[in-house]
């Protein structure tokens, strides 16, 4: 088991991707520490954690007091404002800034706390969940005849996350800490059938992704089998970004 006895934090561990990642960590022998807004009672390495609250870092600090060892961190939380998916013309300054704060700035401040434990053990792996829309521009043709619109803040956030990851990988290498991104393509999640058909026609492998297409790669990057991989962004997208 590649993650045997490793303690790994997953933010958003009850979400569509987070749940698959948590389950895969457990299957690989690791101890998954799930931090998620939907958790009602703190127990069994699961903690109620809301990135939208101003005191989320204080909450994190209290959680970390329960652990002398943290071997991995997966940033998979996905908080967003109610106008998420609105057209760029309709996005307010408050909305854009808030989403950047929740989805990008919070990743840095969470990492900042967790690496202090990792540094003491001179070991650790961080995996940040980015997106193909942080790598390439949006294809708006796949949204035709649907009510869907890709959020402009999402592209800015995920692009920033990928490059911040490179900085962190370079800086913290002296502590034997590794930082990598996974950039999923579209994940099937009860979307409009027209959108799904449009998407499937474009992607080379002919289908949208599944959470279990993502989770094993995350666990590989968390494991010692990837000990010489850092600063990378791996697209898991059925070939979307190669065309």
């Amino acid at each position: 088991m590649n993650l045997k006895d490793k303690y790994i934090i997953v933010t958003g561990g009850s979400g569509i991707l987070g749940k698959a990642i948590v389950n895969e960590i457990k299957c690989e022998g690791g101890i998954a520490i799930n931090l998620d807004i939907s958790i009602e009672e703190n127990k069994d390495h699961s903690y109620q954690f809301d990135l939208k609250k101003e005191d989320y870092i204080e909450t994190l600090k209290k959680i970390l007091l329960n652990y002398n060892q943290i071997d991995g961190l997966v940033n998979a939380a996905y908080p967003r404002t109610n106008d998420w998916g609105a057209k760029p013309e309709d996005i307010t300054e408050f909305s854009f800034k808030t989403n950047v704060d929740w989805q990008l700035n919070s990743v840095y401040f969470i990492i900042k706390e967790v690496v202090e434990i990792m540094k003491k053990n001179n070991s650790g792996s961080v995996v940040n969940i980015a997106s193909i829309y942080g790598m390439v521009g949006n294809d708006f043709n796949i949204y035709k005849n649907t009510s869907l619109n890709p959020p402009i803040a999402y592209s800015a956030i995920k692009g920033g996350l990928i490059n911040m990851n490179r900085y962190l990988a370079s800086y913290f290498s002296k502590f034997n800490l590794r930082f990598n991104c996974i950039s999923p393509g579209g994940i099937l999640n009860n979307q409009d059938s027209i959108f799904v058909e449009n998407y499937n026609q474009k992607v080379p492998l002919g289908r949208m992704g599944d959470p279990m297409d993502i989770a094993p790669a995350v666990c590989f990057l968390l494991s010692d089998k990837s000990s010489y991989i850092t600063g990378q962004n791996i697209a898991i997208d059925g070939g979307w970004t190669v065309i």
Side-chain angles (χ1 to χ4, degrees):
M1 294 187 289
N2 293 334
L3 300 177
K4 183 173 174 57
D5 299 329
K6 289 184 180 291
Y7 286 79
I8 299 164
I9 295 172
V10 182
T11 68
S14 298
I16 183 172
L17 287 181
K19 185 180 296 183
I21 293 167
V22 164
N23 289 339
E24 189 72 4
I25 289 170
K26 292 177 179 178
C27 287
E28 291 292 342
I31 298 93
I33 304 167
N34 181 7
L35 310 187
D36 195 277
I37 189 173
S38 68
I39 293 168
E40 296 181 358
E41 183 181 359
N42 295 342
K43 63 178 183 178
D44 301 327
H45 303 295
S46 295
Y47 301 90
Q48 207 281 334
F49 188 68
D50 187 354
L51 284 172
K52 295 184 289 186
K53 292 184 176 180
E54 291 185 1
D55 64 348
Y56 73 94
I57 289 297
E58 293 306 313
T59 300
L60 177 61
K61 288 179 178 180
K62 291 176 182 177
I63 293 169
L64 291 176
L65 291 175
N66 297 311
Y67 301 93
N68 295 319
Q69 170 188 344
I70 297 293
D71 302 286
L73 166 65
V74 182
N75 286 299
Y78 187 36
R80 49 213 184 269
T81 55
N82 291 332
D83 64 348
W84 191 246
K87 294 181 180 180
E89 296 91 335
D90 299 326
I91 296 296
T92 65
E93 181 180 1
F94 173 81
S95 171
F96 195 94
K97 287 181 176 180
T98 299
N99 284 305
V100 170
D101 194 35
W102 286 349
Q103 295 184 38
L104 178 59
N105 299 347
S106 68
V107 170
Y108 168 69
F109 289 110
I110 289 169
I111 289 172
K112 186 172 180 285
E113 294 300 324
V114 175
V115 295
E116 290 305 311
I117 297 178
M118 292 180 171
K119 283 162 61 177
K120 293 176 183 177
N121 297 321
N122 199 44
S123 177
S125 175
V126 176
V127 180
N128 297 305
I129 304 300
S131 169
I132 56 171
Y133 278 165
M135 302 171 59
V136 296
N138 300 68
D139 183 352
F140 288 94
N141 290 320
I142 65 173
Y143 302 95
K144 285 182 177 179
N145 301 317
T146 77
S147 60
L148 300 173
N149 183 72
I152 186 171
Y154 188 76
S155 295
I157 289 162
K158 297 304 186 181
L161 180 59
I162 290 168
N163 218 40
M164 182 173 74
N165 180 79
R166 296 184 179 111
Y167 181 104
L168 294 168
S170 181
Y171 182 82
F172 285 108
S173 61
K174 57 192 173 187
F175 299 105
N176 196 37
L177 307 185
R178 298 185 296 111
F179 292 79
N180 291 289
C181 281
I182 292 286
S183 283
I187 301 298
L188 186 62
N189 187 26
N190 299 311
Q191 292 96 335
D192 186 304
S193 60
I194 296 174
F195 167 79
V196 174
E197 182 179 355
N198 291 342
Y199 193 99
N200 291 348
Q201 287 179 354
K202 173 170 178 173
V203 70
L205 288 185
R207 67 173 177 86
M208 297 190 74
D210 181 86
M212 280 309 298
D213 293 321
I214 310 302
V218 173
C219 288
F220 168 70
L221 291 174
L222 291 168
S223 77
D224 295 337
K225 289 183 177 291
S226 62
S227 61
Y228 201 52
I229 300 176
T230 193
Q232 302 305 304
N233 174 50
I234 301 174
I236 304 178
D237 61 358
W240 180 279
T241 53
V242 303
I243 59 173

